[in-house]
């Protein structure tokens, strides 16, 4: 029956107040519960009610009010002129996961020493422990990162560390980069340390001409020389830069330290014509005659013997980095394409008329002297459209797409190519280095540049580098 205003419910119906009695109507209640179960269902379904979106704001209010706080934090900075302190009343339950506060030992307070520049950001950091949100500026970044590292806020430390990648390219004097590397070493932040090292390695040429070059520590220079992704015109440039650094240090470095640094130069990668002049041109040859002669002999054997002969030697070590090239950008191993300039377009035959940016280069099969007469023709492209890709016989997963392809296969049983694409920001610093797979390398992923060091305005030039390696 229908219901209308003034109608009385039938006795015993769902709307009858007298029907809902725990004792007398148990069977009725069971029938009501059963009516919510869909026939054939296997059991209760689960529905998520998530109200966590306002949790951070609520936790912030708890911190700001300091209601029921039970632990005092005194942050103090001292210098020769005065002592400045700041007191915060916090809650033990919030600080409990962060061991340096020692709240689990029954203490009611703690005094912490902190640098004067970071004191002004200390309240912001403690508030983050409540809210897990913080606004970081360029000026506060280092302090927030230090406090996160010191007090064990690992996720904040890692995320703040990633923000340093935006700061690294800003200082052309390289003093900030060296300072951040020292700071990363001091705090044990391996991620930040690697970000600094990688930037310095990719921009090694600029580093060697900067005011900070002579300030490099021995350990930092050694770490750079150990890297295969060090970008330089050639290995002779690397040798000259190391010799220059050692000379500039004067008597502050021992002969043993000098020899260790020189031993990390990959002499077999030095062009053969440069090896001949080392005895007369090197400022350190007379001081390290034995080392130079040993390394030069190794390099000359590399240049005049097939690598299979070198491998057959009992003294051969397949892990020897001396036989592995770095990323050499000098001639004839690289070429640059700049889509922002009037690059010479490549036109395709009618009825298709499209343009893609392209260049050609010719390299030896290998930088060993015995392969100097065997040449390889390379074609470098930046493919802008799917039609460009189609004209090259490709289906591109993303655009633009870089392509570096040999015009013919050569010595595949002896030599392989591990080529690289360098994304240069405004031609001033290397923002990204990536490899080629099946001769192609995506410039963008899902329409976005994915680079290690951001470039304002995404103004990139593209440097193609040929890297032959013995199989």
């Amino acid at each position: 029956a229908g219901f209308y205003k003034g109608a009385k419910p039938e006795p015993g119906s769902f709307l009858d107040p007298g029907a809902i009695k725990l004792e007398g109507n148990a069977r009725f209640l069971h029938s009501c519960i059963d009516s919510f179960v869909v026939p054939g269902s296997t059991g209760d379904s689960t529905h998520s009610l998530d109200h966590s979106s306002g949790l951070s704001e609520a936790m912030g209010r708890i911190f700001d009010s300091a209601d029921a706080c039970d632990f005092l934090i005194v942050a103090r900075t001292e210098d020769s002129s005065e002592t400045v302190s700041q007191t915060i009343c916090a809650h033990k339950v919030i600080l409990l996961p962060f061991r340096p506060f020692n709240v689990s030992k029954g203490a009611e307070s703690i005094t912490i020493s902190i640098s004067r520049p970071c004191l002004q950001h200390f309240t912001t950091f403690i508030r983050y422990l409540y809210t897990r949100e913080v606004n970081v500026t360029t000026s506060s970044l280092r302090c927030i990162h230090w406090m996160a590292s010191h007090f064990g806020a690992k996720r904040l430390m890692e995320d703040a560390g990633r923000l340093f990648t935006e700061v690294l390219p800003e200082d052309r004097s390289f003093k900030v980069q060296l300072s951040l590397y020292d700071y990363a070493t001091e705090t044990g932040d391996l991620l930040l340390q690697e970000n600094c090292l990688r930037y310095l390695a990719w921009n090694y040429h600029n580093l060697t001409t900067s005011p900070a070059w002579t300030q490099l520590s021995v350990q930092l220079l050694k770490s750079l020389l150990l890297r295969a992704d060090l970008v330089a015109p050639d290995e002779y440039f690397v040798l000259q830069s190391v010799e220059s650094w050692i000379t500039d240090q004067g008597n502050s470095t021992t002969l043993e330290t000098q020899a260790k640094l020189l031993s990390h130069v990959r002499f077999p990668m030095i062009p053969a014509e440069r090896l001949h002049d080392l005895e007369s041109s090197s400022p350190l040859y007379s001081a390290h005659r034995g080392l130079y002669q040993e390394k030069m002999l190794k390099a000359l054997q590399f240049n005049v013997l097939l690598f299979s002969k070198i491998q057959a030697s009992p003294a051969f070590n397949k892990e020897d980095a001396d036989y592995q090239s770095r990323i050499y950008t000098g001639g004839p191993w690289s070429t640059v394409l700049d889509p922002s300039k009037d690059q010479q377009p490549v036109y395709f035959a009618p009825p298709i008329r499209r343009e893609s940016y392209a260049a050609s280069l010719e390299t030896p099969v290998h930088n060993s002297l015995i392969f100097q007469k065997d040449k390889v023709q390379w074609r470098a492209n930046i493919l802008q459209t799917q039609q460009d890709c189609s004209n090259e016989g490709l289906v591109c997963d993303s655009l633009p797409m870089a392509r570096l392809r040999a015009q013919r296969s050569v010595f595949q049983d002896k030599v392989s190519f591990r080529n690289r694409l360098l994304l240069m920001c405004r031609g001033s610093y290397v923002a990204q280095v990536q490899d080629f797979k099946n001769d192609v390398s995506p410039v963008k992923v899902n329409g976005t540049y994915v680079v290690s060091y951001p470039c304002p305005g995404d103004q990139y030039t593209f440097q193609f580098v040929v890297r032959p390696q013995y199989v």
Side-chain angles (χ1 to χ4, degrees):
F3 292 98
Y4 55 89
K5 186 175 182 181
K8 295 182 178 181
E10 297 179 5
S13 72
F14 179 73
L15 298 176
D16 181 9
I20 307 178
K21 297 177 181 177
L22 183 59
E23 296 178 359
N25 293 284
R27 284 178 294 176
F28 172 77
L29 289 173
H30 282 302
S31 67
C32 288
I33 294 172
D34 291 343
S35 68
F36 285 98
V37 179
V38 179
S41 66
T42 58
D44 290 344
S45 57
T46 301
H47 301 274
S48 177
L49 304 177
D50 186 355
H51 302 144
S52 61
S53 60
L55 181 60
S56 179
E57 184 179 349
M59 294 299 294
R61 288 196 296 269
I62 291 173
F63 171 78
D64 295 338
S65 68
D67 288 345
C69 64
D70 55 3
F71 191 79
L72 287 179
I73 307 173
V74 180
R76 178 175 297 168
T77 179
E78 299 181 6
D79 57 30
S80 57
S81 57
E82 61 178 334
T83 298
V84 180
S85 64
Q86 188 178 102
T87 302
I88 298 173
C89 190
H91 300 81
K92 289 184 178 180
V93 68
I94 299 298
L95 302 177
L96 189 60
F98 307 98
R99 290 187 177 182
F101 289 107
N102 294 324
V103 298
S104 62
K105 296 183 178 180
E108 301 296 327
S109 65
I110 189 173
T111 300
I112 297 168
S113 295
I114 194 168
S115 66
R116 182 178 291 273
C118 291
L119 184 63
Q120 61 182 310
H121 305 296
F122 187 68
T123 300
T124 300
F125 170 72
I126 299 298
R127 196 176 196 275
Y128 163 82
L129 301 182
Y130 283 72
T131 65
R132 302 306 165 96
E133 291 182 353
V134 64
N135 292 323
V136 180
T137 63
T138 302
S139 60
S140 70
L141 177 57
R142 184 164 173 172
C143 286
I144 293 294
H145 183 272
W146 179 86
M147 288 184 284
S149 172
H150 184 74
F151 293 104
K154 184 177 180 181
R155 187 171 180 181
L156 177 60
M157 180 189 77
E158 292 174 348
D159 286 347
R162 292 185 184 95
L163 292 178
F164 282 120
T165 60
E166 299 184 13
V167 177
L168 284 171
E170 293 179 0
D171 182 18
R172 295 189 178 185
S173 75
F174 282 86
K175 292 181 179 179
V176 167
Q177 292 88 334
L178 265 60
S179 174
L180 285 177
Y181 175 80
D182 291 340
Y183 166 72
T185 303
E186 176 189 341
T187 59
D189 188 333
L190 299 181
L191 177 62
L192 177 57
Q193 193 177 55
E194 170 59 20
N195 281 332
C196 292
L197 270 176
R198 184 172 55 201
Y199 183 82
L200 295 174
W202 288 359
N203 294 279
Y204 185 78
H205 186 280
N206 290 343
L207 172 63
T208 61
T209 59
S210 73
W213 171 244
T214 56
Q215 300 172 21
L216 261 68
S217 66
V218 171
Q219 184 58 45
L220 176 52
L221 181 54
K222 176 185 174 182
S223 297
L224 290 172
L225 294 174
L226 288 172
R227 298 181 70 102
D229 64 344
L230 187 144
V231 178
D234 55 35
E235 194 67 19
Y236 183 64
F237 177 89
V238 176
L239 173 61
Q240 286 184 308
S241 67
V242 174
E243 290 177 332
S244 171
W245 183 90
I246 291 173
T247 302
D248 288 337
Q249 304 306 307
N251 296 326
S252 63
T253 58
T254 65
L255 289 175
E256 181 182 3
T257 297
Q258 295 175 14
K260 286 182 178 179
L261 290 173
L262 289 167
S263 70
H264 294 301
V265 177
R266 303 181 180 185
F267 278 73
M269 297 296 110
I270 296 176
E273 62 274 14
R274 296 291 191 179
L275 290 171
H276 182 267
D277 300 328
L278 277 184
E279 184 174 355
S280 58
S281 64
S282 171
L284 300 176
Y285 185 90
S286 58
H288 299 279
R289 183 181 301 272
L291 183 147
Y292 274 84
Q293 289 179 343
E294 177 186 345
K295 287 285 190 176
M296 289 170 63
L297 176 60
K298 186 177 182 180
L300 290 170
Q301 289 175 338
F302 177 81
N303 275 280
V304 300
L305 296 177
L306 287 174
F307 196 60
S308 57
K309 293 285 187 182
I310 299 174
Q311 288 176 313
S313 169
F316 175 75
N317 177 10
K318 67 178 182 180
E319 303 298 331
D320 193 341
D322 280 359
Y323 298 119
Q324 306 299 319
S325 65
R326 306 185 199 268
I327 303 175
Y328 301 128
T329 57
W333 301 104
S334 76
T335 188
V336 176
L337 291 179
D338 185 356
S340 67
K341 295 182 179 180
D342 294 327
Q343 202 86 25
Q344 182 178 359
V346 177
Y347 293 105
F348 299 95
I352 301 169
R353 187 174 176 83
R354 293 284 189 270
E355 60 180 53
S356 66
Y357 295 95
S360 297
L361 68 158
E362 182 182 78
T363 70
V365 170
H366 194 272
N367 51 333
S368 172
L369 188 62
I370 59 177
F371 284 109
Q372 291 304 298
K373 293 183 179 180
D374 296 300
K375 304 294 185 180
V376 182
Q377 298 290 332
W378 297 87
R379 181 178 174 82
N381 301 67
I382 296 294
L383 307 174
Q384 306 275 17
T385 68
Q386 285 293 352
Q387 186 63 63
D388 292 339
C389 296
S390 179
N391 293 335
E392 296 288 331
L394 299 173
V395 176
C396 296
D397 294 332
S398 64
L399 291 170
M401 181 70 74
R403 190 186 197 200
L404 180 60
R405 184 168 181 264
Q407 300 300 297
R408 64 185 180 91
S409 299
V410 289
F411 298 99
Q412 289 183 318
D413 59 330
K414 296 182 176 66
V415 178
S416 64
F417 294 93
R418 300 175 185 175
N419 301 332
R420 295 291 184 265
L421 176 69
L422 278 56
L423 275 66
M424 303 280 296
C425 178
R426 300 176 178 177
S428 61
Y429 64 87
V430 179
Q432 179 66 17
V433 175
Q434 55 197 51
D435 60 0
F436 287 85
K437 294 182 179 179
N438 297 322
D439 301 331
V440 297
S441 184
V443 173
K444 290 183 178 181
V445 177
N446 296 326
T448 303
Y449 288 100
V450 180
V451 295
S452 297
Y453 309 98
C455 177
D458 289 338
Q459 299 180 22
Y460 295 102
T461 56
F462 307 99
Q463 188 160 20
F464 297 74
V465 181
V466 176
R467 295 178 69 237
Q469 304 278 354
Y470 276 126
V471 175

